[in-house]
Amino acid sequence: MSDPTLPDQAATRQTLAVHAGEDFFAVEGVAEGDAISFADELVMDDVYQLRQGAVRHPLTLLAAADGAGAGGGPGSFVVAEGSRRGAAGRAVHLDCCLTLMAPDGTTLEALVLVEVEDGGVADIHLLPLAPLAPGADYRLVGADRDSAVTRLAEVACVSFTRGTHITMASGEQRPIEDLRVGDKVLTRDDGPQAIRWIGQTTLRAVGDFSPIVIRKGTLHNENDLVVSPDHRIFVWQRQDTLGAGRAEVLVKVRHLVNGTSVVQREGGFVDYFQLLFDEHQIIYAEGIAAESLLIDPRTRAALPPEAGARIHARRRHHDYELRKAQLEASTDPAALLRRATSG
């Protein structure tokens, strides 16, 4: 069913790979035997495990263009029609960010999302920001409401990594770490455009923060392109090899991972850079057309007030995105894209 408070043209979709709340349960402590819940019901130092055989399910959410999904402000959403988890039309609230300690002393984070109906809790979803090992003990050492919205926004922020060469308006190939606000970058749709803000974060390269590597030559790129998993690249097809019904498409790089020419690199830390323009742009990184940072209800919380003061207008290329299901027929989507661009 549709939600009249969230018209399609004003809503932003986001699909999250979540665990069912009942699959992450306390094995020791005050809440022993209970599934993970919202912050008010959690007790520090309780130990949780992920159920053997537990899998992550796609939860597709809508947030209103003004950032107030379900009437609840940032961190509030509605389950979208067609979501494989959750009930369409129900409100979902981002409750808190958990900090969990593994047996070896390392910590990881997970977000708790609460699905509600008629004012009561209908379901709990757990979004790990790093992989959880089934059967391993995780001690709950933190539950922070204030950081949850920012952490989810960081997942959605498209980012380039240190060393990525960006094509400037002059044609120069400049490392992203050498760019400055005001520098003019070549854009596909609007020619030279000035950078308005540059963000930089250093994160542990785990889970949804592990970068995707498109290896040299995979898409005619001169060097490896290393970007965040939800980064979208722009592809112009000489022939409609992808069956998209149009020449121009956007594809999330996470959908191209094949274990050989496109891989996800986990471990250590990664320096991420975000480039912001007056409008959402397609720019060139290592010769590949890729998007710049989009200010929308998902990302605004990760930006300083002066950068996130407004939401980018919808542009024509936003309608070009291919969904994962449209690529699943191919055993190697990256090779398919290469053929599409080669004619």
Side-chain angles (χ1 to χ4, degrees):
M1 66 182 179
S2 61
D3 182 353
T5 68
L6 292 173
D8 288 344
Q9 67 270 23
T12 299
R13 296 171 67 93
Q14 183 171 16
T15 299
L16 307 172
V18 300
H19 282 297
E22 60 264 27
D23 283 342
F24 194 65
F25 58 96
V27 295
E28 179 184 321
V30 175
E32 184 174 350
D34 294 341
I36 196 70
S37 187
F38 48 89
D40 286 346
E41 292 195 346
L42 299 177
V43 179
M44 295 303 106
D45 289 327
D46 279 3
V47 176
Y48 286 78
Q49 285 186 1
L50 182 65
R51 193 182 309 278
Q52 293 287 349
V55 297
R56 295 173 74 167
H57 307 273
L59 172 67
T60 303
L61 303 175
L62 293 176
D66 62 0
S76 295
F77 307 89
V78 168
V79 180
E81 270 193 75
S83 177
R84 290 166 63 183
R85 180 160 174 81
R90 280 183 183 166
V92 174
H93 300 286
L94 181 54
D95 181 74
C96 62
C97 179
L98 306 179
T99 302
L100 304 165
M101 181 176 289
D104 63 0
T106 59
T107 59
L108 58 90
E109 294 177 321
L111 301 179
V112 174
L113 297 103
V114 180
E115 186 174 333
V116 299
E117 185 177 36
D118 297 329
V121 176
D123 207 349
I124 300 287
H125 312 281
L126 184 73
L127 174 64
L129 299 182
L132 294 170
D137 288 342
Y138 295 97
R139 187 174 299 275
L140 179 63
V141 295
D144 184 1
R145 284 194 176 93
D146 294 336
S147 65
V149 172
T150 300
R151 296 300 275 161
L152 184 60
E154 289 173 345
V155 172
C157 281
V158 298
S159 306
F160 302 95
T161 56
R162 181 179 294 277
T164 300
H165 291 89
I166 304 296
T167 302
M168 310 302 292
S170 64
E172 175 193 356
Q173 302 296 303
R174 189 179 300 175
I176 195 167
E177 61 270 23
D178 293 341
L179 297 179
R180 300 292 180 265
V181 171
D183 287 347
K184 289 193 173 181
V185 170
L186 180 64
T187 71
R188 182 183 184 274
D189 299 312
D190 298 318
Q193 290 293 310
I195 300 170
R196 298 305 184 194
W197 178 79
I198 301 173
Q200 180 181 353
T201 52
T202 300
L203 300 170
R204 287 179 61 203
V206 295
D208 285 335
F209 295 114
S210 300
I212 303 293
V213 182
I214 301 176
R215 289 187 168 143
K216 175 180 177 179
T218 300
L219 295 178
H220 313 290
N221 43 314
E222 289 291 329
N223 302 296
D224 288 355
L225 176 64
V226 188
V227 293
S228 56
D230 280 339
H231 214 127
R232 294 178 297 183
I233 61 172
F234 179 93
V235 174
W236 186 83
Q237 305 183 83
R238 296 181 182 275
Q239 300 178 12
D240 190 12
T241 306
L242 300 173
R246 58 182 179 272
E248 301 165 311
V249 295
L250 281 175
V251 182
K252 285 185 179 178
V253 294
R254 70 162 70 244
H255 299 333
L256 302 180
V257 173
N258 57 20
T260 53
S261 62
V262 184
V263 297
Q264 188 158 26
R265 188 170 67 197
E266 292 213 20
F269 292 83
V270 58
D271 290 334
Y272 278 133
F273 293 80
Q274 302 86 37
L275 297 181
L276 183 67
F277 299 87
D278 287 334
E279 300 293 343
H280 184 244
Q281 298 288 354
I282 302 299
I283 63 174
Y284 298 91
E286 301 298 355
I288 292 178
E291 68 176 325
S292 65
L293 179 60
L294 172 66
I295 307 176
D296 67 9
R298 303 167 303 160
T299 61
R300 188 160 57 178
L303 305 177
E306 65 274 14
R310 65 186 181 90
I311 295 233
H312 277 150
R314 187 171 186 82
R315 305 203 69 182
R316 188 173 53 124
H317 58 245
H318 292 167
D319 297 323
Y320 297 164
E321 183 176 346
L322 289 183
R323 304 296 177 191
K324 182 179 181 182
Q326 295 174 273
L327 294 166
E328 285 179 341
S330 171
T331 56
D332 189 349
L336 186 65
L337 284 188
R338 182 179 173 85
R339 290 197 299 273
T341 58
S342 298

